[in-house]
């Protein structure tokens, strides 16, 4: 039996959890929008063509914010193409994903969909092929109450009230050579600064997110953040981070250790933000927006074949990773990592939400179902709100191909406003159970109210339309003695502790 210990104290709070860490992302890519969110004529479509079965799954996830409309797509996008009468909207080549964008679904539709999904919009502007002028114009179109050409155009297009979008991304992955209009850190820092300045002059209430590195593997990682932030620190509020992991060599222990890399990515970006703050003698702290994260690798080969078959197609089934049980474990570990860094990570967007590397899958004309990764996300979003407690956890360690001293048990804990504590814990050991001792100190007597376990004997098990419940969490008997709880081998666990009544 593996061993781990977690010390929890109500006075040792890391930070209030910003609920936006449980956000997601929708890009005009593949079937995320078309036959994902939007499928007029589908038996489940509402009067606007939004799939009600998808909306239901999104609402159950309780997604507080959704980034839109890209991604790489945004760097060639004209926001004006996506508003006004649908029949007049242009069809355009999307150079990012080598497809054709019909613009049948656009800005107004997305804002309406977001209202129905109970989520906030995080809107990305194009700083690849366009610049500060167009960026500030879309802010005026969306947020200005009226009486100007752009705000009155919004009204004419059907939205009397402003959309009041608060969160704005200043481009996407501008460090990547694959990006349309990619830039050096200095070029981007200057452009982001001017764009953010004009956007904030247009609406003083908005917050802006500057592009950080697309991955820890970028050669420019570190230098990019320092140079870029030196140019735009005063006008931005968050730095974005993007990180995807894969298991192409079928090395599950190493794959499950990848969240260590995410933790060090976050800590490094925090250090650089604070170094620039020091250099500038600034009183302001820039926080982090992990606005793309997930597992992504299953669909790579399949996508190459698709492009050969259907060049410049629309709504192609691109990036349709079918997630297995081990992917759900890594997603759980990434959520634990985010919670353990809740003092600086204020926004998180799993990429993406529907069909494209997504927790929710649909079949055109058919059903919608939850992939394996849906479950840790849903449980973290539902029970992970409140105060993230200081992560004092000691565990047996293990070594993997690329990581040493990897904790066998990784865990985070959140104290909610009703005094309940939720512990999220993953046992990385694929064969042995782990005994987790919870030292609850100043909490007094706590009772283990419930213990939910996500486990499957086959780490490659998946959910399908025909078998949607193959991998899903199940309640096990809530058994805790002397603070000891058993976590099965290869498992994601949600332990709900409530104060014992006197
Ligand atoms: O989420 C898929 C793509 O991954 C996004 O368009 C891009 O930002 C990233 O490289």
């Amino acid at each position: 039996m593996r061993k781990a210990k977690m010390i929890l104290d109500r006075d040792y709070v890391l930070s209030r959890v910003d609920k936006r860490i449980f956000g997601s992302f929708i890009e005009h890519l593949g079937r995320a929008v078309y036959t994902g969110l939007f499928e007029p004529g589908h038996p489940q479509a509402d009067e606007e063509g939004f799939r009600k079965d998808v909306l239901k799954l999104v609402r159950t996830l309780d997604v507080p914010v959704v980034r839109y409309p890209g991604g790489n797509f945004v760097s060639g996008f004209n926001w004006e193409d996506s508003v006004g009468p649908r029949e007049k909207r242009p069809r355009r080549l999307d150079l990012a994903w080598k497809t054709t964008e019909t613009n049948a679904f656009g800005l107004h539709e997305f804002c309406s969909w977001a209202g129905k999904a109970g989520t906030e919009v995080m809107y990305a502007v194009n700083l690849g092929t366009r610049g500060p002028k167009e960026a500030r114009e879309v802010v005026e179109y969306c947020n200005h109450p009226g009486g100007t050409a752009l705000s009155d155009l919004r009204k004419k297009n059907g939205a009397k009230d402003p959309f009041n979008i608060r969160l704005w991304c200043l481009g996407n992955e501008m460090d990547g050579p694959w990006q349309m209009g990619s830039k050096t850190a200095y070029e981007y820092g200057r452009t982001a600064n001017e764009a953010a300045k004009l956007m904030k002059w247009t609406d003083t209430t908005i917050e802006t997110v500057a592009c950080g590195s697309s991955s820890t593997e970028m050669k420019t990682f570190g230098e990019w953040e320092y140079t870029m932030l030196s140019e735009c620190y005063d006008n931005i509020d968050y730095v974005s981070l993007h990180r995807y992991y894969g298991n192409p060599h079928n090395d599950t222990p190493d794959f499950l250790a990848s969240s260590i890399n995410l933790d060090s990515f976050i800590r490094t970006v925090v250090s650089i933000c604070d170094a620039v703050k020091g250099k500038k003698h600034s009183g302001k702290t820039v926080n982090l927006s992990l606005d793309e994260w997930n597992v992504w690798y299953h669909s790579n080969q399949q996508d190459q074949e698709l492009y050969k078959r259907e060049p410049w197609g629309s709504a192609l089934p691109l990036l349709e990773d079918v997630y297995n049980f081990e992917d759900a474990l890594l997603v759980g570990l990434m959520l634990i990592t985010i919670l353990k860094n809740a003092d600086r990570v204020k926004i998180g967007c799993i990429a993406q939400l529907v069909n494209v590397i997504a927790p929710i899958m649909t079949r055109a004309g058919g059903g919608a179902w939850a992939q394996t990764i849906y479950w840790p996300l849903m449980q973290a979003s539902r029970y992970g709100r409140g105060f993230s407690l200081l992560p004092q956890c000691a565990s047996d360690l293990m070594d993997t191909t690329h990581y040493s001293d990897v904790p066998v048990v990784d865990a985070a804990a959140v104290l909610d406003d009703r005094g309940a504590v939720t512990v999220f814990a993953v046992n990385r050991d694929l064969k042995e159970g782990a005994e987790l001792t919870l030292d609850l100190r100043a909490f007094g007597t706590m009772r283990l109210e419930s213990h939910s376990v996500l486990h499957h004997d086959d780490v490659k098990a998946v959910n399908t339309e025909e078998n949607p419940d193959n991998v899903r969490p199940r309640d096990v008997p809530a058994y805790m003695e002397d603070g000891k709880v058993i976590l099965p081998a290869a498992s994601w666990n949600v332990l709900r502790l409530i104060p014992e009544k006197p």
Side-chain angles (χ1 to χ4, degrees):
M1 180 72 71
R2 300 292 211 151
K3 295 253 187 313
K5 181 177 180 181
M6 197 176 190
I7 303 172
L8 299 172
D9 192 315
R10 65 162 72 247
D11 295 322
Y12 295 165
V13 167
L14 173 70
S15 167
R16 184 171 260 288
V17 174
D18 189 321
K19 67 176 183 183
R20 296 174 303 174
I21 63 172
F22 303 115
S24 191
F25 174 34
I26 283 284
E27 177 166 9
H28 277 258
L29 157 58
R31 298 193 309 115
V33 170
Y34 305 109
T35 74
L37 306 189
F38 180 66
E39 192 175 346
H42 187 280
Q44 289 276 340
D46 70 5
E47 62 293 347
E48 292 182 274
F50 305 154
R51 283 186 62 151
K52 287 186 278 186
D53 49 354
V54 172
L55 274 169
K56 189 169 171 219
L57 282 161
V58 174
R59 276 194 228 105
T60 307
L61 264 187
D62 202 352
V63 186
V65 64
V66 180
R67 183 169 173 250
Y68 175 83
N72 297 340
F73 168 80
V74 84
S75 296
F77 177 59
N78 301 332
W79 67 267
E80 302 88 333
D81 292 348
S82 77
V83 301
R86 191 170 274 149
E87 61 286 359
K88 292 203 176 134
R89 296 185 199 165
R91 291 168 65 87
R92 302 262 189 215
L93 288 187
D94 167 25
L95 304 188
W97 299 105
K98 313 280 180 290
T99 51
T100 302
E101 173 56 49
T102 64
N103 284 303
F105 181 101
L107 177 55
H108 288 248
E109 289 80 16
F110 186 70
C111 290
S112 174
W113 179 86
K116 290 181 179 176
T119 195
E120 180 190 338
V121 176
M122 177 183 193
Y123 196 80
V125 297
N126 175 357
L127 290 188
T129 55
R130 306 187 98 190
K133 174 180 174 291
E134 295 84 2
R136 76 131 222 104
E137 283 174 353
V138 65
V139 176
E140 182 178 331
Y141 182 91
C142 290
N143 288 4
H144 197 69
T148 65
L150 284 166
S151 54
D152 288 345
L153 181 61
R154 180 198 68 239
K155 291 185 180 196
K156 191 173 153 223
N157 288 337
K160 192 165 107 347
D161 296 326
F163 295 134
N164 281 328
I165 299 175
R166 296 271 79 87
L167 261 180
W168 293 81
C169 300
L170 303 165
N172 177 70
E173 294 189 350
M174 299 306 302
D175 59 332
W178 59 86
Q179 202 70 215
M180 287 175 262
S182 65
K183 297 185 170 35
T184 65
Y186 176 76
E187 287 166 348
Y188 172 69
R190 290 285 308 125
T191 305
N193 189 58
E194 292 307 308
K197 196 173 84 184
L198 269 56
M199 290 161 79
K200 287 186 169 183
W201 284 352
T202 305
D203 179 351
T204 54
T205 67
I206 64 166
E207 293 188 305
T208 55
V209 184
C211 296
S213 291
S214 304
S215 152
T216 38
E217 278 155 22
M218 299 300 292
K219 280 208 188 84
T220 49
F221 169 47
E223 180 56 44
W224 172 275
E225 278 76 1
Y226 191 79
T227 306
M228 172 280 283
L229 279 171
S230 299
E231 297 306 319
C232 64
Y233 194 89
D234 294 338
N235 285 305
I236 64 127
D237 303 285
Y238 307 94
V239 174
S240 88
L241 297 81
H242 290 180
R243 199 64 178 99
Y244 297 97
Y245 297 101
N247 187 13
H249 306 298
N250 197 17
D251 182 347
T252 301
D254 203 48
F255 173 62
L256 295 182
S258 318
S259 56
I260 306 275
N261 174 272
L262 178 65
D263 189 64
S264 101
F265 190 13
I266 292 170
R267 286 165 192 265
T268 307
V269 177
V270 165
S271 310
I272 301 171
C273 287
D274 292 348
V276 177
K277 175 181 180 176
K279 179 176 85 161
K280 287 188 170 283
H281 305 178
S282 174
K284 162 180 155 185
T285 299
V286 165
N287 284 315
L288 273 50
S289 170
L290 179 60
D291 45 41
E292 285 186 35
W293 68 271
N294 202 348
V295 173
W296 174 12
Y297 74 106
H298 295 284
S299 59
N300 294 352
Q301 182 64 36
Q302 177 183 312
D303 288 349
Q304 295 320 311
E305 302 300 322
L306 252 179
Y307 281 129
K308 279 188 217 145
R309 281 207 313 270
E310 259 190 273
W312 304 113
S314 284
L316 299 180
L318 290 166
L319 277 70
E320 297 206 356
D321 277 40
V322 175
Y323 290 114
N324 59 32
F325 169 57
E326 68 184 17
D327 299 329
L329 287 180
L330 184 63
V331 162
L333 285 158
M334 291 174 87
L335 285 161
I336 287 170
T337 306
I338 295 169
L339 282 170
K340 290 204 290 191
N341 287 285
D343 54 332
R344 299 303 292 271
V345 180
K346 300 295 174 187
I347 302 160
C349 304
I350 190 161
Q352 298 190 6
L353 186 57
V354 185
N355 289 330
V356 171
I357 42 174
I360 299 168
M361 288 300 288
T362 69
R363 184 165 57 82
W369 63 99
Q371 295 229 59
T372 61
I373 62 169
Y374 182 92
W375 299 111
L377 203 62
M378 189 270 264
Q379 292 184 313
S381 175
R382 299 213 144 233
Y383 304 120
R385 300 179 189 207
F387 296 94
S388 181
L389 296 175
L390 269 177
Q392 302 293 353
C393 197
S395 163
D396 284 352
L397 302 173
M398 62 191 204
D399 291 340
T400 68
T401 312
H402 294 99
Y403 301 92
S404 35
D405 294 337
V406 178
V408 171
V409 173
D410 207 348
V414 174
L415 168 65
D416 73 18
D417 294 330
R418 293 180 305 113
V421 173
T422 302
V423 174
F424 303 98
V426 169
N427 177 6
R428 286 187 170 104
D429 196 302
L430 300 177
K431 296 208 174 82
E432 267 186 69
E435 180 189 84
L436 173 65
T437 305
L438 297 173
D439 180 341
L440 292 158
R441 301 200 164 192
F443 280 105
T445 317
M446 298 285 271
R447 183 167 67 81
L448 183 62
E449 187 194 42
S450 63
H451 182 178
S452 164
V453 174
L454 184 70
H455 170 80
H456 199 288
D457 288 342
D458 177 6
V459 289
K460 306 295 180 189
V462 299
N463 291 344
T464 59
E465 187 178 3
E466 296 72 34
N467 193 5
D469 292 329
N470 189 29
V471 181
R472 67 170 297 154
R474 324 241 169 222
D475 278 345
V476 297
Y479 185 71
M480 177 170 79
E481 199 180 352
D482 296 334
K484 294 185 189 355
V485 181
I486 303 299
L487 313 178
S491 63
W492 154 265
N493 300 263
V494 181
L495 305 163
R496 299 265 302 150
L497 297 138
I498 53 167
E500 194 78 273
K501 290 212 179 75

